[in-house]
Amino acid sequence: MTNTLSSIVVTDPRTGKTYGEVPAHSAEDTQEAFRVARKAQAAWVTTPLLERKRIFLRFHDLVLERQDEILDVIQAETGKNRASAFDEILDVAITARHYARRLPKLLKPRRVKGALPILTRTVVDHSPKGVVGIISPWNYPLTLTISDAIPALLAGNAVVIKPDSKTPFTALLGAKLLVEAGLPQDLFQVITGSGSVVGQEIAQCADYLMFTGSTATGRKLAKIAGERLISFSAELGGKNPLIIAPDADLDQAVPAAIQACFSNTGQLCISIERIYIHKDIAKEFTERFIEATETLRIGGGGWLEDIGSMISPAQVDHVIEFIDDALVRGARLLTGGTRRSDLGEAYLTPTILTDVPEEARLYREEVFGPVVFLEEVQTIEEAIQKANDTEYGLNAAVFAAPHTGWNVALQLHAGTVNINEGFAAAFGSMNAPMGGWKASGVGRRHADEGLLKYTEPRTIAEQRFIPISGPITMSRPSYAHTMTTALKLGKWVL
Ligand code: NAD
């Protein structure tokens, strides 16, 4: 790369020590990455689907075999506990396998009903967009870079990706493993740098833009995509609710709610930040939930820890501001809210609040940390109304007997709704779309559309035997008469 001006220092949040440095690339560097990627894509697009499939199945195996190395890098950049880092290994392996297997079917040209039966032969095929730009956040540095790139690459695109400046090394390792699996060297370009320089340039150069991050940045990028008339998907923030119905099984609900709120130290777009509990079960759930939260083991080392470090001391300050604001306005702290400086500068104990007034910032704003508030409700209808009373619509959950659960789920306004699980059941269902309603995003990842969005559909229609407007000798009134009769008959036949 040329014109590199300075470097970005990556810190291990567990120790505060420097983990490594990467270049802070310029706009010109980014343009050069697109030039190189575009050249590689021209050759890649001719690679048979079965060869692409083989590469990604090899990548699947490599990720599983080399998981210790990957987990070490993820933990060093993010400070998360190892079990939360492993979720990323699972996700990437599952995504690679899923799309590699679906690819031949998904990209096979498809015959569809033509304009006129027999006379019009119509086929739809899918051409790659070209070079897909991906801009990712720091909270899942493997999943939100590599898993979003997998369907784009399989579909025949090149990818230029900007990881977050706090977590570039995971994406760089992912790129290395993709090449080891057989992906052509230049096809996947990781370009490190700031959002305002590299991120903006990616938005200007990409043929398709895939963004994951805050709603505020998503809005800025949507303007550029709109101006350039390129397709765009955005996976944004959430303020995800969980409802506990009176017929919930608390033996299942309590540990699952803990996972739903505090996985990845709450730095998870689909994690639960508010729980509405039916009055009949509120006392018991609250006591058991607090008790279980207080047993969670905190630390950034091995497999036994439940809660890791946050991404930075600044993120802890940010979360504590939310907690203090709520407490000043009358909320009650049930547990947590303490910085664990004995462990490091970015550790915060999992926090449960109640009696949070509507004016408190965290009542509506996304905290993105290990903080949840509980609210007792009189009826399930009240819980549903409160759950939906938000600008967001990313994820929602309900714990209940199956009949109640499905009934509630159908009334929740969110892109994913989980019954007797917090988020993983829906997110892990690779055949189903995942994404947000309202200010939580546009477009979807996962499912067939998670790959097809990176393609341009092309409809090819061949008109055969006679012109579509009828034989040249046919008068317009007879054409109108024939078509009217055909349509009337066709209503019953076709
Ligand atoms: P962010 O928007 O600040 O940053 C995300 C990425 O965008 C980073 O790489 C950043 O450098 C880049 N960026 C920032 N400003 C930019 C600009 N003006 N132009 C181009 N690029 C720019 O988000 P964050 O705070 O790092 O991440 C946390 C947010 O991400 C939370 O709101 C969370 O809910 C959301 N998130 C959503 C999902 C999802 O799937 N819906 C997943 C993970 C995180």
Side-chain angles (χ1 to χ4, degrees):
M1 295 290 167
T2 54
N3 301 319
T4 296
L5 298 174
S6 55
S7 62
I8 296 165
V9 176
V10 178
T11 306
D12 183 336
R14 298 170 300 181
T15 60
K17 293 197 176 125
T18 298
Y19 176 65
E21 286 186 29
V22 291
H25 285 295
S26 64
E28 291 75 25
D29 293 337
T30 311
Q31 290 161 11
E32 176 60 17
F34 271 87
R35 267 191 293 276
V36 172
R38 219 168 269 293
K39 210 165 148 208
Q41 194 265 336
W44 175 243
V45 73
T46 64
T47 307
L49 298 185
L50 288 179
E51 176 54 17
R52 296 186 210 167
K53 174 178 171 179
R54 267 193 292 276
I55 292 171
F56 279 87
L57 289 179
R58 269 202 299 275
F59 179 67
H60 164 274
D61 295 346
L62 260 183
V63 167
L64 294 177
E65 281 158 24
R66 302 270 286 278
Q67 59 175 275
D68 284 338
E69 183 186 345
I70 307 171
L71 289 173
D72 288 345
V73 177
I74 296 176
Q75 283 197 281
E77 291 194 314
T78 61
K80 65 174 75 177
N81 59 314
R82 206 159 180 85
S84 291
F86 182 70
D87 290 343
E88 302 204 53
I89 300 280
L90 270 186
D91 179 73
V92 168
I94 290 169
T95 305
R97 192 176 55 176
H98 171 78
Y99 281 118
R101 285 191 176 158
R102 285 288 292 152
L103 186 70
K105 202 163 188 184
L106 272 179
L107 290 194
K108 193 171 165 216
R110 189 169 43 97
R111 179 94 187 259
V112 298
K113 219 184 260 178
L116 293 174
I118 304 165
L119 303 180
T120 318
R121 181 172 183 268
T122 304
V123 170
V124 180
D125 81 347
H126 290 268
S127 204
K129 292 271 183 187
V131 185
V132 170
I134 300 183
I135 302 175
S136 312
W138 44 262
N139 60 329
Y140 279 82
L142 188 68
T143 294
L144 298 175
T145 53
I146 306 298
S147 287
D148 281 332
I150 288 168
L153 292 163
L154 273 165
N157 299 282
V159 168
V160 174
I161 189 159
K162 190 198 95 60
D164 192 275
S165 296
K166 295 184 194 71
T167 55
F169 286 105
T170 306
L172 288 164
L173 177 56
K176 189 169 152 246
L177 294 177
L178 280 167
V179 172
E180 276 184 47
L183 196 77
Q185 184 87 37
D186 292 337
L187 200 68
F188 183 68
Q189 304 269 328
V190 177
I191 177 130
T192 50
S194 71
S196 56
V197 176
V198 173
Q200 285 287 301
E201 198 56 35
I202 286 181
Q204 292 296 346
C205 297
D207 301 317
Y208 181 97
L209 184 59
M210 167 75 217
F211 172 70
T212 306
S214 63
T215 296
T217 308
R219 287 199 164 105
K220 286 185 200 159
L221 292 171
K223 275 191 195 149
I224 301 176
E227 190 61 41
R228 293 191 56 230
L229 291 176
I230 56 163
S231 320
F232 165 66
S233 48
E235 301 287 346
L236 309 175
K239 186 74 191 174
N240 310 305
L242 164 61
I243 294 174
I244 310 278
D247 53 5
D249 173 354
L250 290 191
D251 290 340
Q252 187 184 7
V254 171
I258 296 277
Q259 277 294 318
C261 300
F262 303 128
S263 268
N264 212 44
T265 322
Q267 302 165 119
L268 171 58
C269 55
I270 46 184
S271 73
I272 298 298
E273 293 202 359
R274 48 201 179 110
I275 304 184
Y276 300 106
I277 319 157
H278 191 274
K279 63 176 172 27
D280 292 354
I281 208 168
K283 187 167 180 295
E284 190 185 351
F285 174 81
T286 304
E287 283 169 8
R288 289 176 64 174
F289 186 60
I290 295 170
E291 195 184 323
T293 299
E294 288 175 344
T295 65
L296 294 173
R297 295 153 300 187
I298 307 179
W303 289 100
L304 291 180
E305 286 146 355
D306 308 299
I307 304 269
S309 159
M310 296 195 70
I311 189 70
S312 63
Q315 188 69 10
V316 177
D317 293 343
H318 171 75
V319 172
I320 287 177
E321 270 174 37
F322 270 109
I323 299 171
D324 288 347
D325 168 76
L327 294 176
V328 164
R329 292 171 195 273
R332 272 191 307 125
L333 182 68
L334 295 177
T335 189
T338 313
R339 194 192 279 268
R340 286 286 304 271
S341 303
D342 54 319
L343 297 172
E345 283 311 304
Y347 288 91
L348 179 68
T349 51
T351 306
I352 308 174
L353 295 161
T354 192
D355 296 336
V356 173
E358 283 217 31
E359 321 78 76
R361 282 181 56 206
L362 63 71
Y363 193 82
R364 292 190 184 279
E365 289 178 42
E366 180 187 46
V367 176
F368 217 57
V371 180
V372 64
F373 72 80
L374 311 184
E375 190 169 326
E376 185 177 316
V377 289
Q378 300 303 306
T379 62
I380 286 295
E381 290 67 34
E382 183 189 351
I384 294 168
Q385 182 270 322
K386 289 195 153 140
N388 288 337
D389 181 17
T390 167
E391 67 164 325
Y392 293 112
L394 189 58
N395 181 46
V398 52
F399 282 87
H403 173 74
T404 315
W406 282 94
N407 182 29
V408 172
L410 288 167
Q411 299 178 66
L412 292 173
H413 301 168
T416 50
V417 180
N418 291 266
I419 302 172
N420 294 328
E421 222 296 318
F423 56 76
F427 188 88
S429 298
M430 283 296 299
N431 272 309
M434 185 269 152
W437 289 21
K438 302 190 269 183
S440 288
V442 289
R444 295 290 185 269
R445 54 164 65 97
H446 296 176
D448 292 352
E449 62 211 86
L451 184 142
L452 293 176
K453 71 182 181 181
Y454 295 125
T455 66
E456 289 287 6
R458 174 170 40 210
T459 299
I460 305 173
E462 178 194 356
Q463 187 60 27
R464 305 183 292 183
F465 314 124
I466 54 169
I468 201 157
S469 50
I472 323 168
T473 50
M474 192 182 227
S475 72
R476 289 304 85 193
S478 357
Y479 172 76
H481 179 72
T482 309
M483 289 306 287
T484 305
T485 311
L487 281 173
K488 282 183 178 167
L489 281 175
K491 189 177 160 193
W492 305 109
V493 181
L494 296 176

